[in-house]
Amino acid sequence: EGQVIPGKVPCSGAVMRMSLDGGTPELYAWGLRNPFGLTFDKQGKLFLTENGMDTRGSRPGYGNSDVLWEIQKGKWYGWPDFTEGRLLSDKDYKTPHDDPKLLLKAIPSQPPSPVALLGVNSSSNGLAFSPGASFGYNDQVFIAQFGDMSPEVGKIYGPIGFKVIRVDPKTGDIQDFAVNKGKRTAPATELKSKGLERPIDVGFDNNGNMYVVDFGIMPVSKKGAIPIKGTGGIWKISKLK
């Protein structure tokens, strides 16, 4: 009670801005648990993917989605006492053992609402907006989902992620875009087929072709992750003529 931890810049869990010529970083937005991808839309709005809490450690969360945010200057996005714009004491996040304890004596402000909720433990990472008519899906954003890290992140009921999704930022509607064929969504090695393993980033060239960075094969056991050397790659996806 009463402990004060001084803030300083640069800090983690935040978005920084600085001149291309270098200099002192400026705190642009903060209160993010695990921010990963940043991109701008055609109107210059800044969007970010954030990985949600795991059911592990001394302060486990439960049912926390990964999030797509629109980032605004000076905003606080809720970490460590909010997730998805809601307090961690919300009944939806209750764990089998206990709720995560709230840490802040007073909240800086009410966090914004997410643009979209992207799937619990999906590890939604790199993202890019469609270039427009050259690819289709104008003004929609594509997000690479690396896939869950179970059992490290806690118990899940089946593979989550391992694909590229398409999100309409205006409505929050989410659709699968590039996903392995099979009875369930999973990495190619688990389906015993060819295809995506762990998509980690996505981008477009000037001709409207999409490129997906695939981290490669990485099984996870109770002992940790085991990345397999030489299994990563880049996929090219083009609009049908």
Side-chain angles (χ1 to χ4, degrees):
E1 180 70 23
Q3 181 185 11
V4 176
I5 302 173
K8 61 180 180 178
V9 175
C11 59
S12 61
V15 177
M16 301 288 165
R17 181 172 70 176
M18 65 185 300
S19 168
L20 291 176
D21 296 326
T24 303
E26 172 194 355
L27 181 62
Y28 191 81
W30 61 300
L32 296 155
R33 177 187 176 268
N34 187 4
F36 194 100
L38 279 172
T39 194
F40 291 94
D41 69 4
K42 294 176 184 176
Q43 289 72 45
K45 295 178 180 178
L46 180 61
F47 290 82
L48 174 146
T49 50
E50 178 189 30
N51 287 186
M53 291 178 71
D54 301 327
T55 310
R56 59 174 172 172
S58 60
R59 192 170 175 263
Y62 182 79
N64 296 181
S65 297
D66 288 3
V67 173
L68 175 64
W69 294 108
E70 180 185 340
I71 297 297
Q72 300 175 41
K73 181 175 171 57
K75 289 284 188 180
W76 177 68
Y77 285 81
W79 181 256
D81 284 346
F82 287 73
T83 185
E84 305 172 7
R86 295 188 291 163
L87 273 170
L88 278 166
S89 56
D90 190 296
K91 62 181 177 61
D92 288 347
Y93 306 129
K94 187 174 180 63
T95 69
H97 306 291
D98 201 0
D99 288 336
K101 295 294 187 289
L102 301 183
L103 299 179
L104 301 179
K105 185 173 183 179
I107 64 170
S109 60
Q110 178 64 36
S113 297
V115 173
L117 303 180
L118 303 174
V120 178
N121 296 140
S122 60
S123 192
S124 297
N125 294 340
L127 72 167
F129 274 88
S130 167
S134 60
F135 191 80
Y137 307 107
N138 194 37
D139 295 329
Q140 298 194 23
V141 63
F142 296 84
I143 302 174
Q145 294 191 323
F146 185 77
D148 69 81
M149 297 280 288
S150 181
E152 280 193 351
V153 298
K155 182 180 179 180
I156 62 171
Y157 296 101
I160 302 168
F162 308 101
K163 59 187 175 182
V164 177
I165 60 172
R166 172 172 56 87
V167 181
D168 185 342
K170 295 178 181 178
T171 64
D173 181 63
I174 301 170
Q175 300 289 333
D176 286 350
F177 178 74
V179 58
N180 294 329
K181 289 183 177 180
K183 293 182 178 180
R184 60 177 181 165
T185 301
T189 46
E190 187 166 326
L191 296 172
K192 296 182 173 25
S193 65
K194 295 181 179 180
L196 297 168
E197 285 294 330
R198 288 187 176 272
I200 196 169
D201 205 356
V202 60
F204 292 91
D205 67 14
N206 293 332
N207 297 316
N209 299 302
M210 174 190 283
Y211 293 88
V212 179
V213 179
D214 192 333
F215 184 88
I217 301 171
M218 193 185 76
V220 183
S221 70
K222 292 182 179 180
K223 295 182 179 180
I226 309 169
I228 306 301
K229 183 178 179 179
T231 60
I234 297 176
W235 300 89
K236 180 180 179 181
I237 301 176
S238 302
K239 182 179 179 180
L240 292 176
K241 303 299 183 182

